[in-house]
Amino acid sequence: MKYLSKDRGYEYFTFEHSKDYQQVQFKFLDAVESLNPNNIVEVLNMHPYHIDSLIQLSEVCKMSEDVQMATELIERALFSFECNFHVLFNLTQSNCRLDYRRQENRAFFLALFKHLAFVGQRGCYRTALEYCKLLLSLDVDYDPLCVLLMIDFYAIRSQQYEFLLRLYNEWESLKNLSQLPNFAFSVALAKFHLGQDDADKMLQDSLLMFPSVLMPLLEKCSIQPDQNVSKHQFFTNAPMKQPAGLQSLVSLYIGRSNSVWKEPEVVRWLESNVIKVLQRVDDKDKLVEQYAKKRQLRYQGTPTNILRHIVLSELQDASVTLPAELTQSPMMSYDPLPPDNNIVSYTRPPRSRLAAQPENGPLAAFFRSLLPTYNLQGGPEGNGVAVPPNNEEHGAVGGEAGLAATPDLGRSIETLMDAMRNLLSTLNPQQRNDNEQEEGQDDDN
């Protein structure tokens, strides 16, 4: 890590890749393009703490439902970063900055994001909240991974209601947090838990501004709405009228935070305010029309950091809202959606055309299937196995072929998992037993 400068009390740093590390990075990129994860394992065998290899293989393990190994790989990546911190780089002071535009820095952001997600899945919400604060402090101005879309969830789950309200009050004038559905509803919920008088008003305003949240949220919580609610066009037609950008934000919030609305007292509070909102709509409250115009004027496009957040979050409800041009383009876990103003410190040397050809085989096919552009008819770029016409004869033949290929794929994946387990076990320091220590002492004497 290199110290760059100090400006307005903030200290700016950047990670650097040595010449040797650059060569390893080139080998990793070759391994990724081969579409064979065994080649990435080989890179890790030679360089056990290569960060991008650890991040990419962590994604493969997660796809294979080996969450424990996926978590350990991310932890090793963070350990590798920590070993290279500058002496002045202090994460506890919140004044250290990293530029996400620099290629060498992005892996640190991604490793932290994935780590806090794993921590949150284990129910350690307060720890995940602290990691959100850390990740946000690295680049407060641009928030490249859009931590603001999930920090409210971990604050609610860890019962840090005062922190959430303080963040909202201090940043509302700077970042218009009230225009994010997650903050609009989470702040109202925090006020309710704290017993503040204006909780009802804020929830009603949130429902008037984002009416498309209610019906999907009730469905996600398995709550049957009242007939007056289910038949009212204000809520039932709202999802069809909202812009695509707002739909992504709403789906992301519902997919992540629906659990905080399942408590009985919260449900009763929500129900009472929904009735009041419908009364205000029927009474032609002027805010109804004002908020409708705001929804149409805003949320016309989705910023890249929000798209990046949706990709990394892997929430099914939000992933389906990604634009088609994004889902049909190649994307890798070690660097999803790099910024347009990317700062490149070094470039990869040109490769021969023959070396750039992807490998075949069941494991390579499995790895290609992890790409967002994969499809059964043509693989990620139209080079996959053709699917026969959809009739009974071909369907039976296809079924037999699929069953015949499954054992090879299963064995390949199992071999890959065993290779990574062996690799991780060899990296752990071996502790000598008492007998070995005594023998060593006898030899010294």
Side-chain angles (χ1 to χ4, degrees), residues 10 155 228 276 364:
Y10 300 112
N228 295 329
K276 295 177 182 178

Side-chain angles (χ1 to χ4, degrees), residues 265-323:
E265 61 273 13
V266 174
V267 174
R268 290 192 294 268
W269 173 63
L270 175 63
E271 180 183 6
S272 63
N273 282 280
V274 167
I275 296 175
K276 295 177 182 178
V277 167
L278 291 180
Q279 184 63 43
R280 293 175 63 177
V281 172
D282 294 337
D283 292 342
K284 308 296 182 181
D285 192 317
K286 61 180 181 180
L287 286 180
V288 177
E289 184 178 355
Q290 292 179 9
Y291 286 164
K293 292 180 179 179
K294 286 184 178 180
R295 288 195 300 271
Q296 297 304 320
L297 292 176
R298 302 172 183 176
Y299 315 106
Q300 294 302 317
T302 305
T304 304
N305 61 338
I306 294 180
L307 295 175
R308 197 180 291 123
H309 179 96
I310 294 175
V311 171
L312 292 173
S313 297
E314 298 180 353
L315 293 172
Q316 183 65 27
D317 297 328
S319 298
V320 297
T321 65
L322 291 172

Side-chain angles (χ1 to χ4, degrees), residues 124-154:
C124 303
Y125 299 117
R126 179 61 188 275
T127 304
L129 174 62
E130 298 304 321
Y131 275 110
C132 285
K133 297 177 184 178
L134 168 60
L135 192 54
L136 184 60
S137 69
L138 296 176
D139 195 343
V140 178
D141 295 331
Y142 297 101
D143 190 13
L145 300 186
C146 218
V147 181
L148 289 176
L149 292 180
M150 63 180 175
I151 193 172
D152 63 294
F153 167 71
Y154 292 114

Side-chain angles (χ1 to χ4, degrees), residues 352-364:
S352 63
R353 184 164 189 165
L354 180 61
Q357 294 297 323
E359 297 185 12
N360 296 317
L363 189 56

Side-chain angles (χ1 to χ4, degrees), residues 355-372:
Q357 294 297 323
E359 297 185 12
N360 296 317
L363 189 56
F366 166 74
F367 197 55
R368 284 195 293 270
S369 70
L370 302 182
L371 298 175

Side-chain angles (χ1 to χ4, degrees), residues 42-157:
E42 292 179 1
V43 174
L44 278 180
N45 277 323
M46 298 298 297
H47 311 281
Y49 287 91
H50 180 254
I51 293 167
D52 285 345
S53 296
L54 292 169
I55 294 176
Q56 189 70 39
L57 275 181
S58 174
E59 191 67 19
V60 175
C61 293
K62 188 167 62 172
M63 292 289 185
S64 304
E65 299 183 355
D66 194 341
V67 179
Q68 181 178 356
M69 182 179 293
T71 303
E72 186 172 351
L73 290 170
I74 293 298
E75 290 174 351
R76 290 181 179 276
L78 290 174
F79 174 74
S80 181
F81 276 116
E82 186 178 357
C83 292
N84 292 276
F85 281 172
H86 193 276
V87 65
L88 298 178
F89 189 76
N90 191 340
L91 296 177
T92 63
Q93 294 182 355
S94 301
N95 66 338
C96 298
R97 298 290 185 265
L98 290 175
D99 192 345
Y100 190 82
R101 296 175 301 171
R102 294 183 179 271
Q103 182 179 359
E104 297 89 341
N105 294 339
R106 291 202 286 269
F108 187 55
F109 285 84
L110 297 174
L112 282 176
F113 189 101
K114 293 175 179 292
H115 182 61
L116 77 86
F118 287 135
V119 169
Q121 290 173 5
R122 296 198 295 265
C124 303
Y125 299 117
R126 179 61 188 275
T127 304
L129 174 62
E130 298 304 321
Y131 275 110
C132 285
K133 297 177 184 178
L134 168 60
L135 192 54
L136 184 60
S137 69
L138 296 176
D139 195 343
V140 178
D141 295 331
Y142 297 101
D143 190 13
L145 300 186
C146 218
V147 181
L148 289 176
L149 292 180
M150 63 180 175
I151 193 172
D152 63 294
F153 167 71
Y154 292 114
I156 293 291
R157 294 296 292 178

